[in-house]
Amino acid sequence: MKLFYLLSFFLLLSLQAAQLKIVAKSFEGDEKRGITVFRGNVKITKESDQLNADVVTVYTDAKRKPTKYEAQGKVSFFIEAENNATYRGSAERAIFIPSKKEYHFYTNVHIEQINEKKEINGEEVVVSTVEGRARAKGGDQTPVIMTFEIDEGEEKK
């Protein structure tokens, strides 16, 4: 039955617009609860987007369509937004909501927006790949830090 669930899960994922590939040391699926857990050096790729973590849990609806991906432990990522913004970074926990194309990163978050040369450090950062927007929060003891380059225009004479 586990093999059937795994095959059904991957068949459904392959029917989406882009191919999703998950590589891990092990997986465990629960069809009734709609939860599949991948453990051990998990690597997820979809087009140019990449997500790596120690553990990734995939939540699916009754039609086995993914509704949420939750990554934990040594999370690293590379994301291309629909407005051509590119992000890479790390966190201790990440959640991806496919219906909103939105990533939520938690704890020791470091994100670089590569093409804009911006960096965000915080305890909670949300990136919307549809709108190309980001928002961040600091923790009780740590502020949000944003670093970016500004063009001062022509030099003063």
Side-chain angles (χ1 to χ4, degrees), residues 65-152:
K65 182 178 178 183
T67 58
K68 179 171 78 170
Y69 298 82
E70 183 172 359
Q72 297 178 326
K74 297 179 187 172
V75 176
S76 63
F77 52 89
F78 178 86
I79 305 165
E80 283 190 2
E82 291 184 14
N83 67 348
N84 294 322
T86 54
Y87 302 91
R88 74 172 161 224
S90 60
E92 292 181 25
R93 181 171 166 245
I95 295 175
F96 174 59
I97 311 293
S99 62
K100 295 180 179 181
K101 295 185 180 179
E102 194 171 83
Y103 289 86
H104 298 247
F105 300 101
Y106 302 94
T107 313
N108 296 322
V109 182
H110 176 78
I111 297 179
E112 298 173 59
Q113 184 177 355
I114 299 166
N115 50 337
E116 294 289 326
K117 298 182 182 175
K118 295 179 185 176
E119 292 184 36
I120 300 173
N121 294 293
E123 291 300 302
E124 179 181 340
V125 178
V126 177
V127 175
S128 171
T129 62
V130 172
E131 299 168 354
R133 293 185 184 192
R135 66 179 186 267
K137 292 181 186 178
D140 292 337
Q141 303 297 318
T142 56
V144 170
I145 300 172
M146 182 167 184
T147 307
F148 55 95
E149 292 183 14
I150 56 173
D151 184 5
E152 295 288 340

